[in-house]
Amino acid sequence: METRSNHVLVGAIVLILLAVLALFTVWIAHLGGSSEKEYDIFFKTSVDGLAKGSAVTFSGVPTGQVKEIALWKPDPQFVRVRVTVNNDTPILQGTTATISGVGFTGVSQVSLDGARKGAAPIGCPETNPQQLCPYGVPVIPTKQGGLGAILNSAPQLLERLSTLTERLTGMLSDRNQASIAGILDNTNQLTKALANRGPEIAATLAQTRVAIQQAGDAAQKIGQLAETSNGVLTDDVKPAMQNLNQAIASAKQSADTLNAAVGDARPGLQSFSKQTIPEVGQLVRDLRIMAESLSSVANKVDQQGAGSLIGQQKLPDYKGK
């Protein structure tokens, strides 16, 4: 009986010592280790590959792990993920969370990045904390990552691929295939015809080049002829016109002088003879007619050029074909 009591006592003492040792170990570990902080992340995308204990990284550096995953009851579109990170992790304003895959294993992790230097840490505000921190811990905003974008766009991509496949199937029906085959045959025939007419097309192009060159030479010669005609008119006709104008002016001056002389001598001439007056009047009329003729000639030269006196015909304007 005493032996059994000693065994129970020894066992109890051993259990108490083991419990104390465990508590001491936990206390030492807690005392020596760094404290952790908890954050909530609300993902609107799928969290496939994420599970309790999944790694949490900050700019690729492991800093914590996933503690809890659950649907958010107020809005089932969101999945609430509770993470714990080391106390020295800089979860500052601007930090965002994404879900990224780890290789090709299908395992995912929570990636944190985007903290701004000098920004304040993410925390719960003193005023209305329930709205921004519904579960009493700060909330890290999310950012759509590569995996989330692929998963979200996968249904649309599949739908578009299905629509494209249906359209291709409709386009490649028997009737359309026959039409495409006919178009290809016509194209081959046209290509052969062009190949057979290659020398004729080359000759036509060569003749066209020659015709264009000849037209250019003709235009250049016409321009030179026009410049020569302008030079002749400028050098020869203008001096002749000046001399003709001077002659007309002299004739008019002589006629005016003669008229004045006749007017002064009219009383004396009347006393000589009645026959002299008609002759002098006739002479004055002839001089006036001559002055008018010279004036008409000068006007004609001014308006029509010297060619009107010589009698040459005006060159027709060149009109290209």
Side-chain angles (χ1 to χ4, degrees), residues 129-146:
Q130 188 64 28
Q131 183 176 0
L132 298 179
C133 302
Y135 291 92
V137 296
V139 176
I140 300 176
T142 60
K143 179 181 67 175
Q144 191 176 31

Side-chain angles (χ1 to χ4, degrees), residues 5-30:
S5 299
N6 292 334
H7 289 169
V8 173
L9 181 60
V10 171
I13 293 172
V14 171
L15 290 176
I16 292 172
L17 290 176
L18 290 176
V20 172
L21 180 62
L23 292 174
F24 179 76
T25 303
V26 171
W27 180 74
I28 292 297
H30 181 74

Side-chain angles (χ1 to χ4, degrees), residues 75-102:
D75 190 351
Q77 296 184 27
F78 292 92
V79 178
R80 184 179 64 87
V81 178
R82 175 69 61 87
V83 297
T84 59
V85 297
N86 297 332
N87 190 29
D88 56 352
T89 304
I91 309 297
L92 307 178
Q93 296 292 334
T95 303
T96 55
T98 56
I99 297 177
S100 58
V102 182

Side-chain angles (χ1 to χ4, degrees), residues 56-252:
V56 177
T57 62
F58 188 92
S59 298
V61 179
T63 57
Q65 62 182 358
V66 176
K67 183 178 180 181
E68 182 183 356
I69 299 177
L71 291 174
W72 192 37
K73 294 181 179 179
D75 190 351
Q77 296 184 27
F78 292 92
V79 178
R80 184 179 64 87
V81 178
R82 175 69 61 87
V83 297
T84 59
V85 297
N86 297 332
N87 190 29
D88 56 352
T89 304
I91 309 297
L92 307 178
Q93 296 292 334
T95 303
T96 55
T98 56
I99 297 177
S100 58
V102 182
F104 298 96
T105 60
V107 178
S108 301
Q109 64 182 12
V110 177
S111 299
L112 306 176
D113 57 5
R116 296 193 299 267
K117 181 179 179 181
I122 294 178
C124 294
E126 296 180 358
T127 58
N128 195 10
Q130 188 64 28
Q131 183 176 0
L132 298 179
C133 302
Y135 291 92
V137 296
V139 176
I140 300 176
T142 60
K143 179 181 67 175
Q144 191 176 31
L147 180 60
I150 294 174
L151 293 175
N152 289 336
S153 61
Q156 298 178 357
L157 181 61
L158 292 176
E159 184 179 357
R160 291 178 181 177
L161 288 175
S162 177
T163 303
L164 179 61
T165 304
E166 292 177 359
R167 291 182 179 179
L168 288 176
T169 303
M171 185 179 66
L172 296 178
S173 61
D174 295 338
R175 180 179 179 182
N176 291 336
Q177 288 180 1
S179 300
I180 293 172
I183 292 173
L184 293 176
D185 293 337
N186 295 332
T187 303
N188 291 331
Q189 293 178 3
L190 178 61
T191 304
K192 291 179 181 179
L194 290 175
N196 295 330
R197 295 296 181 89
E200 297 180 3
I201 295 174
T204 303
L205 293 176
Q207 293 176 359
T208 304
R209 294 192 188 97
V210 173
I212 293 173
Q213 184 176 2
Q214 291 178 353
D217 295 339
Q220 184 178 2
K221 291 180 180 180
I222 291 172
Q224 294 176 355
L225 178 61
E227 292 178 357
T228 303
S229 301
N230 292 332
V232 171
L233 291 174
T234 302
D235 298 336
D236 298 339
V237 176
K238 285 185 177 180
M241 289 294 299
Q242 293 178 357
N243 295 332
L244 183 59
N245 289 331
Q246 292 178 359
I248 293 172
S250 300
K252 287 184 177 180

